Amino acid sequence: MILHFLTQAVFWFLVILTVGSAIVVVFNKRILHSAFALLFTLCGVAGLYVFLSADFLAASQMLVYVGGILTLIIFGVFLTARMYNMSIPEQTHQRFLALLPVLGLGGIIFYVLNSAEWHLITPMVAPTTENLGKMLLTTYLVPFEVASMLLLAALIGAIRLARPRKEDHDD
Amino acid sequence: MIALEPYLDLIISVVYVVGIVLFLSLFALFATWLERKVAGHIQDRLGPMETGGWHGWLQPIADAIKLLIKEDIIPAAADKKLFKLAPYLVFIGSLAGFAVLPFAANLIGSDLNIGVYYVIAVTSLVVIGILMAGWASNNKWSMYGAMRSAAQMISYEIPVALSLLIPVMMAGTMSMVEIVDNQAGGFWNWYVFRTMPFSLIAFVIYFWASLAEVNRAPFDLPEAESELVAGYFTEYSGIRWAMFFLAEYGDMFVVSAIAATVFLGGWYAPFPFLDIIPGPIWFIGKTAFLVFVQMWLRWTLPRLRVDQLMYVCWKIFLPFSFANLLLVGLWVVLKG
Amino acid sequence: MNATYKYFRDIYLGVTTVSLGMWITFRHFFMPTITVQYPREKLIYPPRARTELRNAIESCNGCLQCARACPVEIIHIETAKAQDEDNAGNMPDGKPRKLLVLTFDVEMSKCVHCGLCVEVCPTESMHWNNEHEHVTFTREELMRHWATYPPEEVRRLQERDEILKAEKAKQAAEAAAKKAAAGDQPAPKPVSKPAADGAEKPAQPSAAAATPAIEKPAKPESGDGTDSPQKENGKEKA
Ligand code: SF4
Ligand code: SF4
């Protein structure tokens, strides 16, 4: 009874954490607060993955999104000029024009949610890592490799762009 | 009478967490004392000698009390919310690592199937906490410290992960307990000494890269006191500063404990007949030895420059880790 | 090729030098420490260390050499001629004491530790006492009083000195007048006599001008000056 209640409480805590901080991300005026609020959204999502007994995915979420992408975002904000008192407009002047894509996107998401077939599975506390690894190297090898090639290309491209040009140097 | 049976797990978890926090505090107290003693004796000094009689053993407690009753200063121009939040984030990130440390076969917070991976993942929280602290302080030293720290931790996460993969590959699992179990029966079964010299190189790379992960000398650029005052915690004082401090020593313990787990046979004795000494003592002993080596290195080597730091990571540790990984992979495949 | 060689050489050097450094610090870890636990253990200073001044007042003959040598003029001495009634005793070298040292004050806070007063002292009563903890609670305490005469005694002796001097001057003047009356000898000779035996005259006004700034408490520091007669310094000089 109490255990069940505790589980529920943790679940709702995670949900509120995720949604609440996502709202902060969108509506906060200071860009860095938005970036840091994103941390809690991502952690909340990782927690929800744990509830879905996707342990490997949760850890990857932390490692990739919190450790990598969020850090990059914060770095990006840090390197922006005038970051201490920069405010970003969180409203648009063309509200009606903005309504169109919002409604369109919302409609699509709603449609997908409605039309998809949802399977209720009993959460199993079985390790997923082994299956994940096998599938990544067999069934989904091509998408996996394509994604890595894409990332590699982006990496090399970024390095190429960041390098000073030859003519910039006198020596 | 309420049946306690269903809540046993819960109660045990709570007790364990409290125990770990206590252990972490005690370890930090001991480590500060040890650090000053090691520093002193390496420089032919004595270190603290007065408080508490025997070799100043009460000095860390005096320091802790001083920290706790100190005024808590928040700079007027700081970002107050983030400033208050940051130390907890860093502390949580360090404490979370303790969850999967196997003090003994049964004395482990949670034998996660993804143990090693989990540790690497939760350390990301520390990076964010440090960035937050640096930014919220509204101080250029804090800012530089935070930037350096984040850059360094992200870079060195790669060699750390790659060299941790080697014992993972050899054991065929990421669970801490199983990795240790695969190293039972004498020190020649430890992963450092199997597949010589690859795993030894992996161990060395892991150890050095973990120094950078926890911002210890010679990679202590983020808190380089001679140029940045104290880096990202320049503006912190009192209990919040103590949180950073605890987190730092906690991190030292965690990275050393992982090295002891995956390379040095965890809770197993170096010789089978020594197994009568209980496992946690071996585990903590090995970890404490590695912590001692960290301190020893700190008082031996000068601080690196930023470009040297990056050179060591990207041009030396990384290629060697990759080559290591390939060769050990080959070894594992050939051995079947 | 060259770059490859350098790369591996760097790694080799890195590994070996770090190992060497660790070996060195490891050895130092077990070496005896050089720390002196200060308030409990104290270092013995070398004999010529300029620590704190001390005057062994019973061997000081009041010659004022030190007061003149001092570049910052912080030694203030007042003397009076010894008379038979004083029972002044002998100097350490056995000769009878000629001058009573009424006050001997040193403003330690202004001392620059140049050591000139120690150099010039003919009796070697001015010496370094091999202690360095001249810490006090007030500035006044840094004014060192080494003479043992209480203030009223000082005043009495000074007055007696004045009277004696005046008498002497009178006698001299009378003698000079007699001589001048008696013969046709020139004046300079008798005048030079009183000037010569009042050798301290030029020093006294300056000392008198400087001392009133600080109230002298009637503190007979007899233990202070007598317990350390000339320690190593005497031997060292000899
Ligand atoms: S040592 Fe001090 S008292 Fe002696 S002459 Fe120098 S300044 Fe004057
Ligand atoms: S020089 Fe020596 S003897 Fe002469 S007054 Fe000074 S301390 Fe006394």
Side-chain angles (χ1 to χ4, degrees):
Chain A
M1 194 24 222
I2 296 181
L3 277 189
H4 180 74
F5 173 76
L6 269 181
T7 322
Q8 287 290 310
V10 171
F11 175 76
W12 283 106
F13 171 74
L14 284 174
V15 169
I16 292 169
L17 182 75
T18 312
V19 178
S21 46
I23 290 172
V24 175
V25 172
V26 177
F27 286 107
N28 205 299
K29 278 192 187 170
R30 304 182 70 175
I31 191 162
L32 223 106
H33 283 193
S34 294
F36 281 123
L38 198 57
L39 167 71
F40 296 101
T41 315
L42 296 172
C43 288
V45 172
L48 290 179
Y49 283 147
V50 173
F51 263 89
L52 293 171
S53 62
D55 52 355
F56 188 81
L57 199 57
S60 304
Q61 165 89 6
M62 287 295 285
L63 185 63
V64 176
Y65 279 94
V66 176
I69 293 180
L70 185 59
T71 314
L72 273 187
I73 290 176
I74 294 172
F75 251 88
V77 179
F78 276 2
L79 296 174
T80 332
R82 299 193 296 109
M83 64 159 198
Y84 270 105
N85 40 19
M86 186 167 61
S87 64
I88 41 167
E90 85 280 23
Q91 285 184 343
T92 172
H93 295 299
Q94 290 158 327
R95 296 189 186 189
F96 292 106
L97 221 59
L99 207 58
L100 283 180
V102 169
L103 281 181
L105 200 63
I108 292 171
I109 292 174
F110 187 72
Y111 174 75
V112 170
L113 284 180
N114 239 357
S115 61
E117 275 182 43
W118 296 97
H119 302 286
L120 265 187
I121 53 159
T122 45
M124 39 166 197
V125 198
T128 56
T129 323
E130 194 177 348
N131 293 338
L132 262 177
K134 283 203 172 120
M135 278 162 103
L136 274 181
L137 288 180
T138 52
T139 325
Y140 298 107
L141 182 62
V142 176
F144 180 64
E145 287 302 321
V146 169
S148 10
M149 281 307 290
L150 184 71
L151 285 178
L152 187 64
L155 211 63
I156 294 173
I159 293 172
R160 176 72 192 82
L161 285 177
R163 273 192 99 113
R165 287 201 212 92
K166 276 259 164 56
E167 52 264 32
D168 289 352
H169 284 283
D170 294 334
D171 51 333
Chain B
M1 173 101 197
I2 317 164
L4 275 179
E5 200 65 28
Y7 311 118
L8 214 56
D9 270 0
L10 192 69
I11 293 167
I12 289 175
S13 314
V14 171
V15 169
Y16 191 79
V17 169
V18 172
I20 284 293
V21 173
L22 272 181
F23 175 77
L24 171 57
S25 319
L26 279 181
F27 171 76
L29 289 180
F30 172 70
T32 52
W33 178 82
L34 186 70
E35 173 109 59
R36 297 165 74 170
K37 279 292 178 194
V38 169
H41 282 276
I42 279 179
Q43 296 166 352
D44 294 349
R45 297 183 288 111
L46 283 171
M49 288 296 281
E50 294 300 314
T51 325
W54 186 80
H55 283 261
W57 67 277
L58 271 179
Q59 187 64 44
I61 295 175
D63 286 346
I65 293 172
K66 181 203 74 174
L67 275 180
L68 292 183
I69 60 180
K70 241 183 168 179
E71 187 189 355
D72 177 27
I73 302 168
I74 299 180
D79 188 327
K80 305 226 167 29
K81 275 184 229 138
L82 295 185
F83 189 85
K84 284 179 188 162
L85 186 62
Y88 299 104
L89 221 55
V90 173
F91 183 67
I92 289 171
S94 148
L95 194 63
F98 276 85
V100 293
L101 294 186
F103 286 87
N106 310 316
L107 194 61
I108 175 170
S110 162
D111 180 21
L112 284 185
N113 180 251
I114 50 164
V116 179
Y117 193 57
Y118 164 85
V119 174
I120 299 174
V122 290
T123 27
S124 333
L125 219 53
V126 178
V127 184
I128 301 288
I130 286 174
L131 279 173
M132 194 185 273
W135 186 78
S137 303
N138 202 350
N139 173 323
K140 53 180 173 283
W141 290 310
S142 307
M143 194 66 201
Y144 275 124
M147 299 276 268
R148 281 188 192 180
S149 170
Q152 164 177 331
M153 285 169 95
I154 290 176
S155 306
Y156 274 86
E157 219 153 68
I158 302 166
V160 163
L162 285 179
S163 24
L164 282 182
L165 267 185
I166 283 161
V168 166
M169 249 168 29
M170 283 155 70
T173 172
M174 288 199 281
S175 146
M176 294 287 217
V177 172
E178 281 175 48
I179 290 179
V180 176
D181 265 335
N182 278 330
Q183 307 176 62
F187 71 90
W188 50 91
N189 276 335
W190 293 359
Y191 280 146
V192 223
F193 300 118
R194 281 206 241 167
T195 68
M196 283 289 268
F198 307 121
S199 46
L200 183 65
I201 293 175
F203 172 66
V204 170
I205 289 179
Y206 170 78
F207 186 76
W208 280 87
S210 70
L211 285 183
E213 281 271 289
V214 298
N215 302 328
R216 292 281 303 181
F219 305 113
D220 59 344
L221 291 102
E223 46 204 73
E225 67 276 357
S226 41
E227 32 181 331
L228 294 183
V229 187
Y232 51 86
F233 47 73
T234 303
E235 293 288 0
Y236 283 89
S237 56
I239 182 83
R240 287 176 218 282
W241 188 84
M243 294 287 254
F244 277 116
F245 202 68
L246 268 187
E248 195 177 316
Y249 279 93
D251 273 342
M252 274 169 75
F253 188 87
V254 170
V255 294
S256 303
I258 291 171
T261 309
V262 302
F263 288 109
L264 299 181
W267 63 80
Y268 283 113
F271 295 100
F273 64 85
L274 283 176
D275 273 338
I276 39 166
I277 299 173
I281 291 182
W282 283 113
F283 180 77
I284 294 176
K286 287 170 187 175
T287 309
F289 173 72
L290 288 178
V291 169
F292 167 74
V293 176
Q294 286 186 344
M295 293 173 179
W296 176 10
L297 272 173
R298 171 168 176 192
W299 299 103
T300 302
L301 297 178
R303 187 179 305 126
L304 262 64
R305 253 180 4 232
V306 179
D307 62 323
Q308 294 167 332
L309 177 92
M310 289 299 163
Y311 177 89
V312 171
C313 177
W314 294 101
K315 291 200 171 166
I316 295 178
F317 285 172
L318 212 55
F320 274 82
S321 306
F322 269 122
N324 238 341
L325 196 66
L326 286 178
L327 290 169
V328 175
L330 206 64
W331 183 82
V332 170
V333 169
L334 287 183
K335 242 189 113 202
Chain C
M1 182 55 220
N2 222 351
T4 325
Y5 170 71
K6 189 174 175 301
Y7 176 79
F8 284 104
R9 215 179 78 100
D10 278 353
I11 293 175
Y12 170 75
L13 280 180
V15 172
T16 47
T17 51
V18 166
S19 316
L20 183 68
M22 287 182 75
W23 168 238
I24 289 172
T25 43
F26 186 73
R27 268 192 344 215
H28 273 270
F29 193 74
F30 293 103
M31 278 183 189
T33 55
I34 57 167
T35 308
V36 176
Q37 293 286 80
Y38 163 59
R40 265 169 241 141
E41 312 163 26
K42 285 181 189 172
L43 287 176
I44 310 275
Y45 292 100
R48 297 174 77 163
R50 295 181 185 182
T51 47
E52 190 183 357
L53 283 174
R54 176 66 51 86
N55 189 4
I57 196 72
E58 74 285 2
S59 60
C60 169
N61 63 14
C63 69
L64 295 190
Q65 299 249 42
C66 51
R68 285 198 206 101
C70 180
V72 283
E73 298 185 349
I74 55 170
I75 305 180
H76 310 299
I77 308 171
E78 285 168 19
T79 55
K81 279 222 171 84
Q83 305 296 324
D84 294 341
E85 65 186 65
D86 293 331
N87 269 333
N90 289 343
M91 298 295 293
D93 60 2
K95 289 180 189 148
R97 177 179 277 283
K98 288 193 185 126
L99 285 173
L100 302 173
V101 183
L102 300 181
T103 59
F104 196 108
D105 299 344
V106 175
E107 298 169 58
M108 247 351 251
S109 54
K110 291 186 193 165
C111 176
V112 297
H113 293 260
C114 64
L116 289 177
C117 52
V118 177
E119 293 282 322
V120 297
C121 180
T123 62
E124 292 174 1
S125 66
M126 197 68 156
H127 62 277
W128 300 111
N129 71 349
N130 221 338
E131 279 170 26
H132 65 279
E133 296 156 318
H134 36 303
V135 181
T136 60
F137 283 104
T138 60
R139 227 176 341 159
E140 282 70 31
E141 280 171 67
L142 280 171
M143 182 82 173
R144 299 294 151 103
H145 311 287
W146 283 314
T148 52
Y149 289 90
E152 55 275 12
E153 186 72 1
V154 170
R155 223 171 300 123
R156 186 181 73 77
L157 288 169
Q158 269 173 338
E159 273 160 20
R160 192 188 69 182
D161 222 31
E162 290 295 318
I163 294 166
L164 284 176
K165 229 179 256 167
E167 264 171 27
K168 216 174 192 179
K170 215 158 78 193
Q171 280 169 12
E174 273 167 16
K178 232 182 255 169
K179 267 196 186 145
D184 46 358
Q185 271 161 326
K189 216 177 173 186
V191 177
S192 71
K193 186 99 168 132
D197 50 26
E200 64 272 27
K201 247 179 194 163
Q204 221 150 12
S206 80
T211 33
I214 297 161
E215 274 293 351
K216 269 179 282 173
K219 206 199 290 178
E221 280 180 306
S222 54
D224 241 36
T226 45
D227 60 352
S228 54
Q230 282 178 294
K231 278 191 190 166
E232 290 89 354
N233 284 56
K235 282 174 218 147
E236 218 272 324
K237 265 184 185 168

